[in-house]
Amino acid sequence: MDYKKENRKKVITGFVIGVIVPILASPIVNAILFTQHPMTHDANGMVTATNSFWKYYMHNITHPYKLPIFLSFCVLADALVVFFMVQKQKDFMMKGMLFPIILYALTVFILKLGL
């Protein structure tokens, strides 16, 4: 058995999991935020309440000030997966998940700076 190849495969699997989990968690995060008085902005910049789940979801993704906050909450799902992998002693998969977490953190940092 080639352990380097096997471990590299585990790191790549962890990377893919680290990228996909926040995307899959985004509707759940939106549902939690949706229960807390969902407000959007109309074309004139006025704040309005909404009853549409998907309109609020699109607003969270496209609004320049809400996107970093929304993305930060979505990345918290990676923390749950990392905690599960610690329990199962999947060290190489956790190493693979570290790279997407850092990329998401850099993205949030850049969005917060407004660059």
Side-chain angles (χ1 to χ4, degrees):
M1 295 175 87
D2 189 14
Y3 289 111
K4 282 188 176 184
K5 200 177 233 184
E6 187 177 322
N7 290 340
R8 187 175 301 130
K9 190 175 181 181
K10 290 178 185 177
V11 170
I12 291 171
T13 303
F15 182 84
V16 171
I17 291 170
V19 170
I20 291 176
V21 166
I23 295 169
L24 294 177
S26 65
I28 297 168
V29 170
N30 190 58
I32 294 168
L33 294 175
F34 188 71
T35 62
Q36 306 292 323
H37 307 293
M39 298 292 196
T40 61
H41 295 87
D42 62 6
N44 297 327
M46 300 298 292
V47 177
T48 58
T50 183
N51 291 330
S52 172
F53 179 83
W54 294 110
K55 183 177 178 185
Y56 188 63
Y57 183 77
M58 289 305 296
H59 177 72
N60 282 334
I61 290 175
T62 57
H63 195 272
Y65 297 118
K66 288 191 174 188
L67 178 61
I69 298 166
F70 184 71
L71 192 59
S72 298
F73 284 135
C74 292
V75 174
L76 283 176
D78 272 343
L80 295 173
V81 175
V82 167
F83 178 73
F84 175 74
M85 288 186 183
V86 166
Q87 297 295 322
K88 297 293 181 182
Q89 297 179 349
K90 304 280 186 181
D91 295 332
F92 286 100
M93 290 179 85
M94 288 186 323
K95 285 181 183 178
M97 287 189 70
L98 183 65
F99 300 117
I101 291 172
I102 291 171
L103 289 175
Y104 279 122
L106 287 174
T107 303
V108 168
F109 182 70
I110 289 170
L111 289 172
K112 282 291 214 181
L113 288 178
L115 300 177

